[in-house]
Amino acid sequence: MGGSASGKRWVISRTGAAGLWLAGQALLQRGSPFTSAPLLFCLQGYEGLVEGGENIKRANWLSVSNIIQLGGTIIGSARCKAFTTREGRLLAACNLVQHGITNLCVIGGDGSLTGANIFRTEWGGLLEELVKDGKITEEVAKKYCHLNIVGLVGSIDNDFCGTDMTIGTDSALHRIMEVIDAITTTAQSHQRTFVLEVMGRHCGYLALVSALASGADWLFIPEAPPEDGWEDFMCARLGETRSRGSRLNIIIIAEGAIDRNGKPISSSYVKDLVVQRLGFDTRVTVLGHVQRGGTPSAFDRVLSSKMGMEAVMALLEATPDTPACVVSLSGNQSVRLPLMECVQVTKEVQKAMDEKRFEEAIQLRGSAPGTRALPAAAVCADWCCLSPFRQTHFSLAILNVGAPAAGMNAAVRSAVRIGISQGHTVYVVNDGFEGLSKGQVHLSCLTAAGGRHRHLLLSLHRTLPKTSMEKIVENVRKFNIHGLLVVGGFEGGVQLVEARGQYEELCIVMCVIPATISNNVPGTDFSLGCDTAVNAAMESCDRIKQSASGTKRRVFIVETMGGYCGYLSTVTGIAVGADAAYVYEDPFTIHDLKANVEHLTEKMKTDIQRGLVLRNEKCHEHYTTEFLYNLYSSEGRGIFDCRINVLGHLQQGGAPTPFDRNYGTKLGVKAMLWMSEKLQEAYRKGRVFANSADSACVIGLRKKTVAFSPVTELKKVTDFEHRLPQEQWWLNLRLMLKMLANYQISLTEYISGKMEHVTRRTLSIEKGF
């Protein structure tokens, strides 16, 4: 069977819920070409470890081919009572030793990972017992004296402390939002109230994010039980909403929701309450296990692949003194955390909830105290019907600029509601800067729920302010605008700041929420709308691959949007298992194209007789999509044929993903609160005068926190000719893209995740997700 330099083997065990095979795929594809160690599947999780035999089987490259678009887990998962006993773990140890396995990757929840750590801790004693019983020799026990374990968290609840997101959460949110969007049309048509019960026995993440993303009227989660008398408050709120003409109400409840006394709040109780007190036509929908199924989202595909690759690196680098670790997500980076630190904090959350220390439980979940109450309440509830805390002298305007990007509505909606709740006068501007120059400024009366709409509530225009600066200044003066929130690209903000020296009226507070499918705005790792665009491109490529299932030896060349930025092509390529992705930032020559053709030629000799190549629309001046088609067709003649697909503007359409809805909501809230603070600082002698660099910023997600970056600073690190930041974090993903396509590459440039620790201080940092 062969062995690595260390004579060790690898096994991947899938346990727990939210089956996602992707991490296992990345493990195999990272491990197979770079180590001679055999890789094995352990079928049915710990049950397979205990039973052994055919449950532990050899895996190869083809074992995980053409599965990237499948939900569930190809290696199975099962709860195993036997593994909770020492006798069961003794059998598992015997089976592992017989197969020469000394590296174990466990994909599961906190229970599964706790079991893995116990197994590792007992390993030496288990081998001694096996020697004593005569099942293995002392030589074998000495050879396999140490077991390395790395965990990956697979849980749709996102209930594991230490990671920003767990594998499966984003896909579950996709299923929930699909149901909510479908139900909303029914509720509006029939003037109904819907009570939706989502999963989350001990964690309310799914309920909270889906409530923010859908504009729900009321929310119940286990970590934040409602105050006594909530029945009266809720019914009053629902009644007020209907009295103003709304035709629907959405109430979202986590299955583990409780009141302050620990008594469960059921969906049927909430429904009966609404019917009895308000007489509304009310329905209950329990989503159940539909949340676990379906096609994985792009975010989950990339997340799982990154974690799988990092898990293999952790196992390769492990020593007998290395503690068992879990691979987690911190912003856009994979990190390693001591397994039991994460498990311990996760258990402390439940203990705090059991003892009714709910505020502490929320902090342990990873929310910064004092930053969540107002935004969550103001966005979920309809603040337009409430009086502001105080009336201010400030007027703010909100406008969209550039090309359409999903999530813009969510950002505008949350910004408007927070602005009103802060006591500001909030204007909305149609047609972007052109509309501002023409005086298309109106008092806000937005009623959109959740920003789920495909069309933009505020129309936009690509015109930049420099073409009509004097008219823009005139209307800023006319409407007495003290703050400007721009949702779109940041170049317009740069022009306004540069004009401050000429026009005093532009010495106001400005904030830019980056919104573009290309993800090419500096100052943020993710632009609003890029996640929706990646998912749209991914779904199209999935269909293209499906169409090839009945056709042998075919290569598809797919062109994506993005301008000069290759983010869409690269991330989509990872999500669909592309053979190559050509981008401007990673220069390529005819020799690279020749190597790619030869690679596909060899691939056609295997059982995988189809190929997928992505090309960013401006990746090369001369190597156009048609050129690539002609090249591949000519060189592949007699071996494979080619087809072209230009995805075009479908990448800008469709319903926003949960990520973009949640992200847009959060950016809108943060931007408006930041602007309120800056307005107070700049208010002197009855007027606002803001001309410092930090009074005009781009808000964005940088690593794991939301940050504000002055546009004047970002201008210095921007390539305006190609509309690109000078540094782009996602370029590091291209190494993984090539590795997953089975290219023999060097990993000397790969930067392994650092070992970090989980503390209350690190958990208190509010995460961008």
Side-chain angles (χ1 to χ4, degrees):
M1 298 290 285
S4 67
S6 58
K8 300 178 180 179
R9 295 186 176 188
W10 308 62
V11 67
I12 302 164
S13 173
R14 179 67 185 92
T15 66
L20 270 154
W21 37 265
L22 264 170
Q25 179 201 37
L27 276 165
L28 285 172
Q29 296 188 339
R30 166 62 185 90
S32 294
F34 301 107
T35 74
S36 57
L39 290 117
L40 300 99
F41 279 142
C42 177
L43 306 182
Q44 307 308 322
Y46 288 141
E47 184 176 295
L49 282 186
V50 172
E51 294 182 359
E54 293 298 317
N55 289 303
I56 301 176
K57 59 184 295 186
R58 185 74 177 266
N60 56 44
W61 195 270
L62 295 181
S63 299
V64 291
S65 296
N66 202 32
I67 64 172
I68 199 163
Q69 70 279 2
L70 302 178
T73 164
I74 65 166
I75 60 177
S77 175
R79 299 188 183 278
C80 181
K81 291 185 178 180
F83 195 76
T84 63
T85 66
R86 183 176 175 83
E87 291 75 14
R89 293 191 290 273
L90 189 66
L91 290 172
C94 184
N95 289 323
L96 289 184
V97 169
Q98 288 176 355
H99 285 85
I101 295 168
T102 54
N103 295 281
L104 180 64
C105 177
V106 178
I107 312 170
D110 61 329
S112 303
L113 297 180
T114 300
N117 190 68
I118 293 172
F119 190 40
R120 181 180 185 269
T121 302
E122 294 180 344
W123 183 255
L126 294 173
L127 294 191
E128 290 179 5
E129 192 169 339
L130 290 174
V131 171
K132 182 179 179 181
D133 294 341
K135 294 183 178 179
I136 63 173
T137 65
E138 291 187 3
E139 290 74 16
V140 170
K142 184 176 181 180
K143 183 178 180 180
Y144 303 114
C145 62
H146 185 72
L147 178 67
N148 296 317
I149 286 182
V150 170
L152 301 181
V153 190
S155 167
I156 68 168
D157 293 331
N158 200 27
D159 57 353
F160 195 79
C161 294
T163 184
D164 293 352
M165 289 282 275
T166 56
I167 299 171
T169 301
D170 190 69
S171 297
L173 285 170
H174 274 255
R175 304 293 88 76
I176 294 171
M177 294 312 304
E178 288 166 4
V179 172
I180 291 177
D181 285 351
I183 280 177
T184 297
T185 58
T186 300
Q188 287 177 327
S189 300
H190 297 275
Q191 201 164 349
R192 283 178 177 161
T193 296
F194 271 91
V195 180
L196 278 81
E197 181 181 308
V198 301
M199 284 187 166
R201 190 175 301 119
H202 304 295
C203 180
Y205 184 85
L206 291 178
L208 175 61
V209 174
S210 57
L212 289 173
S214 64
D217 296 279
W218 207 265
L219 166 70
F220 296 95
I221 60 175
E223 296 92 337
E227 300 291 341
D228 293 340
W230 63 267
E231 294 91 343
D232 297 331
F233 292 125
M234 184 188 74
C235 291
R237 175 61 50 77
L238 299 181
E240 290 170 359
T241 303
R242 286 294 181 92
S243 66
R244 292 192 314 279
S246 176
R247 295 182 58 85
L248 80 157
N249 297 115
I250 299 291
I251 300 170
I252 296 182
I253 179 170
E255 61 179 332
I258 56 176
D259 63 18
R260 286 280 166 179
N261 299 313
K263 179 182 177 182
I265 300 176
S266 67
S267 52
S268 58
Y269 175 76
V270 174
K271 174 205 168 184
D272 293 341
L273 184 68
V274 175
V275 171
Q276 293 168 10
R277 294 203 184 185
L278 299 174
F280 293 169
D281 185 3
T282 306
R283 298 288 189 275
V284 172
T285 298
V286 180
L287 270 63
H289 282 75
V290 69
Q291 296 158 87
R292 297 187 183 276
T295 301
S297 67
F299 186 96
D300 269 332
R301 298 188 193 192
V302 176
L303 171 66
S304 304
S305 298
K306 287 170 62 177
M307 287 186 168
M309 185 170 183
E310 185 61 38
V312 172
M313 297 302 294
L315 288 170
L316 285 170
E317 297 167 4
T319 68
D321 298 325
T322 303
C325 72
V326 58
V327 177
S328 300
L329 179 69
S330 179
N332 56 35
Q333 303 294 322
S334 297
V335 298
R336 304 173 191 176
L337 303 173
L339 174 58
M340 287 317 297
E341 284 186 13
C342 298
V343 171
Q344 185 58 41
V345 176
T346 302
K347 290 182 177 180
E348 286 181 16
V349 174
Q350 188 58 49
K351 182 179 179 181
M353 292 174 61
D354 292 340
E355 296 175 357
K356 299 182 175 56
R357 293 181 282 115
F358 300 110
E359 192 71 16
E360 182 179 354
I362 292 175
Q363 293 181 33
L364 289 170
R365 281 277 187 234
S367 297
T371 62
R372 60 187 177 276
L374 171 63
V379 175
C380 282
D382 191 347
W383 275 85
C384 295
C385 70
L386 301 179
S387 300
F389 299 138
R390 63 190 183 283
Q391 195 65 46
T392 71
H393 304 288
F394 304 129
S395 298
L396 295 92
I398 303 173
L399 54 84
N400 294 337
V401 297
M408 282 181 159
N409 287 339
V412 171
R413 169 180 169 271
S414 62
V416 166
R417 290 189 170 179
I418 292 297
I420 292 174
S421 73
Q422 293 283 292
H424 308 318
T425 300
V426 182
Y427 294 103
V428 291
V429 183
N430 283 318
D431 291 338
F433 287 117
E434 182 173 314
L436 183 58
S437 69
K438 294 179 178 179
Q440 297 174 199
V441 181
H442 313 280
L443 279 173
S444 172
C445 57
L446 297 180
T447 58
R452 61 178 171 271
H453 296 267
R454 288 172 171 81
H455 64 278
L456 286 173
L457 295 170
L458 290 183
S459 55
L460 51 72
H461 205 280
R462 291 179 179 270
T463 304
L464 292 172
K466 65 180 181 181
T467 60
S468 53
M469 190 67 75
E470 291 187 358
K471 292 183 178 180
I472 288 175
V473 170
E474 180 182 336
N475 283 307
V476 169
R477 184 191 314 116
K478 176 182 176 181
F479 291 96
N480 195 28
I481 295 173
H482 303 111
L484 188 64
L485 178 61
V486 178
V487 185
F490 98 111
E491 191 172 353
V494 173
Q495 293 180 8
L496 290 177
V497 171
E498 290 177 340
R500 278 177 167 177
Q502 185 177 356
Y503 302 101
E504 187 176 306
E505 291 84 351
L506 296 179
C507 292
I508 58 178
V509 176
M510 302 181 200
C511 186
V512 177
I513 295 178
T516 164
I517 68 169
S518 304
N519 197 28
N520 61 343
V521 178
T524 184
D525 295 339
F526 298 98
S527 292
L528 197 57
C530 68
D531 185 70
T532 302
V534 168
N535 275 273
M538 177 198 73
E539 290 167 3
S540 297
C541 290
D542 282 349
R543 293 188 179 97
I544 290 170
K545 288 170 59 180
Q546 186 179 22
S547 73
S549 60
T551 306
K552 292 184 177 181
R553 298 178 180 177
R554 176 163 291 174
V555 174
F556 289 91
I557 299 173
V558 179
E559 179 185 304
T560 68
M561 295 178 74
Y564 286 98
C565 182
Y567 176 84
L568 270 178
S569 291
T570 298
V571 178
T572 302
I574 294 172
V576 299
D579 296 282
Y582 301 117
V583 301
Y584 171 79
E585 296 92 339
D586 191 1
F588 57 97
T589 66
I590 192 66
H591 300 291
D592 298 311
L593 297 177
K594 181 175 180 294
N596 294 151
V597 172
E598 292 173 350
H599 179 79
L600 283 170
T601 300
E602 291 300 312
K603 183 178 179 181
M604 296 302 163
K605 298 176 182 178
T606 70
D607 292 338
I608 316 170
Q609 298 185 347
R610 54 120 185 94
L612 182 65
V613 175
L614 300 182
R615 177 189 178 274
N616 173 245
E617 58 183 348
K618 292 186 178 181
C619 67
H620 200 284
E621 181 181 2
H622 303 296
Y623 298 152
T624 63
T625 301
E626 187 172 353
F627 175 90
L628 293 183
Y629 167 74
N630 291 331
L631 175 67
Y632 275 77
S633 296
S634 176
E635 295 299 319
R637 185 172 296 135
I639 303 172
F640 58 81
D641 63 358
C642 292
R643 294 291 187 274
I644 285 181
N645 286 272
V646 179
L647 300 185
H649 284 76
L650 68 82
Q651 296 157 90
Q652 289 183 323
T657 61
F659 181 97
D660 277 330
R661 299 189 205 199
N662 182 31
Y663 190 36
T665 298
K666 184 160 193 173
L667 293 185
V669 170
K670 292 284 188 181
M672 191 57 71
L673 293 177
W674 176 85
M675 293 180 72
S676 297
E677 182 180 332
K678 289 296 179 181
L679 285 169
Q680 292 289 346
E681 293 177 1
Y683 187 69
R684 297 289 186 276
K685 298 180 180 180
R687 58 170 292 189
V688 170
F689 185 82
N691 67 346
S692 62
D694 65 352
S695 64
C697 289
V698 172
I699 179 177
L701 182 65
R702 306 193 76 167
K703 293 191 175 176
K704 67 183 301 171
T705 58
V706 174
F708 292 86
S709 306
V711 296
T712 52
E713 295 298 319
L714 296 179
K715 178 184 175 182
K716 301 174 184 177
V717 294
T718 302
D719 175 1
F720 283 97
E721 179 184 355
H722 299 100
R723 304 177 69 87
L724 289 173
Q726 292 178 4
E727 293 186 6
Q728 300 185 87
W729 67 270
W730 56 264
L731 287 172
N732 295 328
L733 297 177
R734 294 191 57 79
L735 184 70
M736 182 173 68
L737 171 68
K738 295 173 183 178
M739 179 274 296
L740 291 175
N742 203 11
Y743 286 91
Q744 299 296 322
I745 60 174
S746 170
L747 288 178
T748 55
E749 297 180 6
Y750 181 81
I751 301 175
S752 297
K754 297 179 180 179
M755 179 67 81
E756 299 181 359
H757 292 277
V758 183
T759 65
R760 290 184 180 239
R761 187 188 66 80
T762 60
L763 290 173
S764 69
I765 299 174
E766 189 175 11
K767 300 172 181 63
F769 297 121

